[in-house]
Amino acid sequence: MDQPERFSNLPEYAFPRLRTLLDAHPPGGDPIAMTIGEPQHPFPAWVPDVIATSAAEFGKYPPNEGAPELLAAISAWISGRYGAVVGPGRIMALNGTREGLFNAVLALCPETKGGKQPAVLTPNPFYQVYAVATLGVGAEPVYVPTTAATGFLPDYAGLPTDVLDRTAIAFLCSPANPQGAVASREYWANLLALAEKHDFLVFADECYSEIYRDTAPVGILQVAGEVGTDPERVFAFHSLSKRSNLPGLRSGFVAGGAGGIARIRQLRNYAGAPLPLPLQRVAERAWADEDHVVENRALYAAKYAVADEVFGGIQGYQAPQAGFFLWLPVEDGEAAALRLWRETGVRVLPGAYLGREAPGGNPGQGYIRVAMVAPKDDMQRGLIQLRDCLYR
């Protein structure tokens, strides 16, 4: 039987590809994993107690869109964090934001735009689910480079008018994975104006919004409210994985226009799995508690300081504004990752594995991504070994 071709040009997922590159070679020292963005800081101590207290609710089907108490807690958090009024009817709890990002494209991307194949704009490098969702609905992914010259944010306004006119959705990750760049209020406002002009949606992946150095990143819901953007044009995605060190909870949310959220909820009725109620109770408390977030941010601040000290004299080093990745320039990302593994045991991800070949090449080719998630002492040791191996 013929197989659908829409996914035929997808690259191999980054981490199996990394195993193919490295695992045939013994490490050159005690292994230090600095590849995947899996937080290692402690999650809040009250998490097991909340699960235990509400364990009987494992015996109930959870509400599709999220428990009312959870939606209210998220709405209150959005108000406190961004000063935006987004009621529970404009929010859906997610079983991980990867699910939400994918299903939002399925629910909201039209089959045609102006009688043509719709385009979906994505930064390059990018979180790979953007492209998979785009191909899944038969749209064309348009990979827009994010380089030092563009401030590591995509220049969507520089695209040809004919591409913008058939654009259905534009993705933006801020703080950016992998570079740690943050969209300013002006950047968001300009993107929203471009979306109004060319009639497309903006999907804001803000999963790293609570990990930053000094100033909290501006969010799309905040700017959209200030400039009066139609709520149906804006969808923001957030997660507890990084904010609360709960990647295994698989809990996040999407907030946007009531009509769009209703369509996403309807798709969930048939093609999704809501978070079990005891885990929703954990999420409810997590969104209502900022103390553990402040403590977590302080741990990352100490890691930023270590990275700045280790790489401060390295040409081309740009300290990330937010998030927990370093985006380090090298001559060739694959060669650097292999050499580093074979000589030191430090494991990093070639930047090209997060990007796509496009006109001008793959913008990740000359970088490695380093996740600062290991305990501070291990991370410091790994960064020093990396510096001494690749830069001296």
Side-chain angles (χ1 to χ4, degrees), residues 85-140:
V85 179
V86 181
R90 293 174 51 196
I91 299 167
M92 189 178 80
L94 298 174
N95 196 337
T97 46
R98 177 168 58 185
E99 174 219 25
L101 289 161
F102 187 93
N103 283 344
V105 176
L106 268 63
L108 301 179
C109 186
E111 294 184 6
T112 61
K113 175 83 183 293
K116 299 178 181 179
Q117 180 188 24
V120 174
L121 311 183
T122 180
N124 190 19
F126 59 99
Y127 184 39
Q128 301 295 299
V129 71
Y130 306 162
V132 179
T134 301
L135 294 170
V137 297
E140 178 193 355

Side-chain angles (χ1 to χ4, degrees), residues 7 64-65 92-110 120 127-137 169 171 201 203 205 235-237 250 253-255 259-275:
F7 296 129
N64 179 61
E65 67 276 8
M92 189 178 80
L94 298 174
N95 196 337
T97 46
R98 177 168 58 185
E99 174 219 25
L101 289 161
F102 187 93
N103 283 344
V105 176
L106 268 63
L108 301 179
C109 186
V120 174
Y127 184 39
Q128 301 295 299
V129 71
Y130 306 162
V132 179
T134 301
L135 294 170
V137 297
I169 296 167
F171 281 102
L201 307 179
F203 284 6
D205 181 353
F235 294 85
F237 299 80
R250 308 310 306 138
F253 72 83
V254 55
I261 292 296
R263 292 171 64 184
I264 297 171
R265 287 180 175 185
Q266 180 71 351
L267 178 62
R268 161 72 78 71
N269 281 329
Y270 302 103
L275 195 69

Side-chain angles (χ1 to χ4, degrees), residues 188-189 192-193 195-196 220 223-234:
W188 281 124
L192 292 170
E196 291 278 3
I220 193 171
V223 179
E226 292 171 356
V227 302
T229 301
D230 180 353
E232 295 295 340
R233 197 172 297 287
V234 174

Side-chain angles (χ1 to χ4, degrees), residues 5-377:
E5 296 182 359
R6 64 176 64 98
F7 296 129
S8 61
N9 64 342
L10 281 182
E12 185 181 6
Y13 196 62
F15 297 106
R17 193 175 172 188
L18 182 68
R19 290 193 289 272
T20 300
L21 175 69
L22 301 184
D23 285 359
H25 306 276
D30 292 335
I32 302 177
M34 307 185 82
T35 53
I36 192 167
E38 181 179 65
Q40 300 297 309
H41 295 166
F43 54 72
W46 41 257
V47 168
D49 292 337
V50 174
I51 294 174
T53 300
S54 55
E57 292 186 297
F58 279 121
K60 299 178 180 179
Y61 284 120
N64 179 61
E65 67 276 8
E69 299 86 355
L70 172 56
L71 298 180
I74 293 170
S75 178
W77 181 81
I78 292 172
S79 176
R81 174 66 169 82
Y82 296 115
V85 179
V86 181
R90 293 174 51 196
I91 299 167
M92 189 178 80
L94 298 174
N95 196 337
T97 46
R98 177 168 58 185
E99 174 219 25
L101 289 161
F102 187 93
N103 283 344
V105 176
L106 268 63
L108 301 179
C109 186
E111 294 184 6
T112 61
K113 175 83 183 293
K116 299 178 181 179
Q117 180 188 24
V120 174
L121 311 183
T122 180
N124 190 19
F126 59 99
Y127 184 39
Q128 301 295 299
V129 71
Y130 306 162
V132 179
T134 301
L135 294 170
V137 297
E140 178 193 355
V142 177
Y143 303 108
V144 182
T146 57
T147 65
T150 67
F152 294 114
L153 295 170
D155 178 18
Y156 290 148
L159 291 170
T161 298
D162 64 319
V163 174
L164 291 170
D165 282 344
R166 63 185 180 89
T167 294
I169 296 167
F171 281 102
L172 187 75
C173 184
S174 174
N177 171 12
Q179 306 98 331
V182 173
S184 66
R185 179 177 278 97
E186 180 183 18
Y187 184 99
W188 281 124
N190 289 339
L191 177 57
L192 292 170
L194 190 70
E196 291 278 3
K197 180 178 180 180
H198 295 278
D199 190 23
F200 60 80
L201 307 179
V202 179
F203 284 6
D205 181 353
E206 298 181 316
C207 289
Y208 297 88
S209 67
E210 304 313 291
I211 301 173
Y212 53 85
R213 288 177 178 261
D214 302 306
T215 303
V218 176
I220 193 171
L221 295 173
Q222 175 181 351
V223 179
E226 292 171 356
V227 302
T229 301
D230 180 353
E232 295 295 340
R233 197 172 297 287
V234 174
F235 294 85
F237 299 80
H238 285 261
S239 170
L240 291 176
S241 294
K242 281 72 177 177
R243 174 187 185 273
S244 300
N245 300 310
L246 286 167
L249 189 70
R250 308 310 306 138
S251 181
F253 72 83
V254 55
I261 292 296
R263 292 171 64 184
I264 297 171
R265 287 180 175 185
Q266 180 71 351
L267 178 62
R268 161 72 78 71
N269 281 329
Y270 302 103
L275 195 69
L277 271 169
L279 304 189
Q280 291 196 42
R281 303 307 181 197
V282 173
E284 173 192 341
R285 180 161 175 183
W287 287 114
D289 176 32
E290 289 297 316
D291 290 344
H292 75 279
V293 183
V294 173
E295 293 171 3
N296 187 44
R297 198 154 46 237
L299 295 175
Y300 282 113
K303 291 182 172 183
Y304 289 146
V306 168
D308 291 347
E309 180 180 357
V310 171
F311 295 108
I314 302 300
Q315 185 176 5
Y317 169 69
Q318 293 197 32
Q321 295 174 261
F324 52 53
F325 295 116
L326 300 178
W327 190 236
L328 299 178
V330 293
E331 185 173 343
D332 179 272
E334 275 196 330
L338 180 58
R339 177 185 172 191
L340 188 62
W341 173 249
R342 294 178 66 178
E343 294 186 14
T344 71
V346 175
R347 198 174 182 97
V348 299
L349 189 68
Y353 291 6
L354 299 169
R356 290 296 299 274
E357 289 294 333
N362 185 327
Q365 182 66 37
Y367 290 88
I368 53 175
R369 192 189 76 173
V370 182
M372 297 189 293
V373 295
K376 180 184 172 184
D377 290 347

